[in-house]
Amino acid sequence: LVPTLTAGEFDASVSAVAGISLVLVGWLNVIHGWPIGLAIAAALAVGLLVGGVNAFFVVVAQVQSIVVTLGMGTLLIGVAVGINAQSTGGISQGLVNAAHFNILGLPLAFFYGLLLTLILWYVFSFTPLGRYLYFVGAGRNVARLSGIPVDGIRAGSFIAGGFLSALAGVLLAGWISASDPNVGPTYLLPAFAAAFLGSSVLEPGRFNPWGTFIAVYFLVTGVVGLELIGLAGWIEQVFYGASLVLAVAISS
């Protein structure tokens, strides 16, 4: 979400992209016997394709991003169920190990998130592309008059978001060792809550990678802590919903 939000756009399809990526990995690898590398490549290609389609309708056809991506997200949820409506176990052990192998008591999945945060932080803080993203999000017309390729930046943010969402789906397949069409869409609200909460810390009012990293940690540990004291089931949605509202208010 961070690249598109920084560019002043909304991408409500990120969780559905992760969901269809998760389903594709299980469907291709387990049911059709594809090597795990090819299954992952296909899932990532779908993420890039979805990002490109979103970019076309938002940038070229000039449809509101929230409308396009909500529709795309709903479409992808249906497609994922159509591909494989059942939970499928037996994901290649190589992918499972790539997510679960522990270093210093922490799974590799954590370090992938840390590495991604470092990469985005470098791009946002030390490259012209990162500055262009902030300029486009702050004032699209002013950025265009300054010579910044606004449409290219906006389109690229959707494509990057689609790819990163598909990558999240691949890692999720390794983390749960299975695929299920109902898992991915549940991450939409927590993702928005983390992104907006992240914009209220470190660099208030600005979406940033390290703030989002901290916000993800806060949200996950908050939910787990509340569940450990017996508030299981309903508390997750209440906590994420309240966090999103408060995060938007604080960042504003």
Side-chain angles (χ1 to χ4, degrees):
L1 277 173
V2 172
T4 46
L5 288 171
T6 302
E9 304 288 354
F10 284 90
D11 189 351
S13 66
V14 290
S15 62
V17 174
I20 197 168
S21 173
L22 167 68
V23 168
L24 279 173
V25 169
W27 185 61
L28 294 174
N29 177 237
V30 178
I31 297 178
H32 290 279
W34 283 32
I36 189 61
L38 286 179
I40 291 173
L44 295 178
V46 168
L48 289 170
L49 176 63
V50 172
V53 172
N54 284 339
F56 172 80
F57 281 103
V58 174
V59 177
V60 179
Q62 298 185 11
V63 183
Q64 289 280 346
S65 60
I66 188 66
V67 175
V68 171
T69 56
L70 273 175
M72 178 61 74
T74 305
L75 181 152
L76 292 176
I77 291 172
V79 171
V81 173
I83 291 173
N84 185 15
Q86 305 297 321
S87 179
T88 302
I91 298 290
S92 174
Q93 193 61 37
L95 181 58
V96 175
N97 291 339
H100 281 274
F101 185 79
N102 278 6
I103 297 178
L104 302 175
L106 294 169
L108 279 176
F110 169 82
F111 292 100
Y112 299 146
L114 185 60
L115 176 62
L116 178 60
T117 303
L118 282 168
I119 293 171
L120 287 178
W121 169 72
Y122 177 81
V123 171
F124 277 48
S125 300
F126 300 106
T127 69
L129 176 60
R131 297 303 181 192
Y132 291 168
L133 274 167
Y134 281 127
F135 292 159
V136 171
R140 192 175 302 167
N141 291 331
V142 175
R144 184 177 285 108
L145 291 171
S146 301
I148 295 174
V150 172
D151 289 345
I153 296 294
R154 294 168 64 206
S157 70
F158 280 106
I159 294 171
F163 176 80
L164 293 175
S165 300
L167 182 61
V170 170
L171 288 175
L172 187 58
W175 184 254
I176 65 176
S177 309
S179 68
D180 190 316
N182 300 311
V183 172
T186 63
Y187 285 93
L188 183 60
L189 186 61
F192 269 99
F196 276 96
L197 187 60
S199 69
S200 64
V201 298
L202 298 186
E203 300 179 51
R206 174 179 286 186
F207 297 101
N208 63 92
W210 283 116
T212 305
F213 183 87
I214 293 169
V216 168
Y217 184 83
F218 166 75
L219 290 171
V220 172
T221 53
V223 167
V224 172
L226 291 169
E227 289 178 343
L228 286 175
I229 63 174
L231 301 176
W234 57 271
I235 194 61
E236 183 174 348
Q237 299 302 323
V238 172
F239 187 76
Y240 285 144
S243 298
L244 177 58
V245 173
L246 292 174
V248 173
I250 293 170
S251 64
S252 298

